Amino acid sequence: MQIEKLDHLVLTVRNIEATCAFYTKIFGMRMVFFDDDRRALSFGDYKINLHEWGKEFEPKAQQPTPGSADICLITRTPLSDVIAIARRHGVEVLEGPVARTGANGPLESVYFRDPDGNLIEISNYTGHPSGVKAKGR
């Protein structure tokens, strides 16, 4: 078996409304509805499904806990603009820009916390402007 890509992940959150407001206003994600009453955050070809803490859908993680995630998201938006947007919305920059290594090469990253305390890393690839690993590497 060979895994191709990530389709979605699940965040367990205390307040779905607050989570949706944060990710749509700060990071430009789209809130989507599915299965009648479930909500997710959509970006590119991916989504983050949301489970409200104590009301999770089955099956679920063995210990679903708000604030336990550490996620890196890639953007082409310059990090100076990402920082300005976050500050405009009162979101503290924890660290960055700093050099890191991503799945496809070197990154420059900035760190924030969402309303549940999840660590959110927003990054630009520095080695490949398209954010795609060059063939043959």
Side-chain angles (χ1 to χ4, degrees):
M1 176 189 319
Q2 183 175 3
I3 302 299
E4 273 185 50
K5 62 182 180 175
L6 178 72
D7 180 82
H8 71 277
L9 59 89
V10 176
L11 281 182
T12 301
V13 302
R14 287 183 182 87
N15 183 309
I16 289 179
E17 296 296 331
T19 299
C20 288
F22 178 84
Y23 284 91
T24 58
K25 288 179 185 174
I26 310 297
F27 301 127
M29 293 183 185
R30 292 180 299 111
M31 183 178 63
V32 296
F33 290 87
F34 66 104
D35 290 346
D36 295 327
D37 61 345
R38 294 189 59 188
R39 280 190 255 176
L41 298 160
S42 176
F43 58 99
D45 292 333
Y46 310 100
K47 70 177 181 160
I48 299 172
N49 289 345
L50 303 174
H51 285 192
E52 187 176 345
W53 190 37
K55 300 178 184 175
E56 298 88 359
F57 294 91
E58 296 292 343
K60 63 181 184 279
Q62 188 168 344
Q63 296 180 352
T65 307
S68 63
D70 180 340
I71 303 169
C72 178
L73 302 168
I74 303 299
T75 184
R76 292 182 190 197
T77 303
L79 293 183
S80 58
D81 293 350
V82 170
I83 291 168
I85 292 165
R87 288 187 174 149
R88 197 165 44 246
H89 289 281
V91 176
E92 178 186 0
V93 176
L94 298 175
E95 186 176 347
V98 293
R100 296 290 188 251
T101 302
N104 292 306
L107 301 172
E108 190 170 20
S109 300
V110 178
Y111 293 85
F112 308 95
R113 292 213 185 271
D114 76 2
D116 287 295
N118 293 304
L119 185 64
I120 308 301
E121 178 182 356
I122 305 295
S123 303
N124 295 150
Y125 276 104
T126 58
H128 305 282
S130 68
V132 176
K133 188 175 177 180
K135 297 219 184 267
R137 289 189 161 204

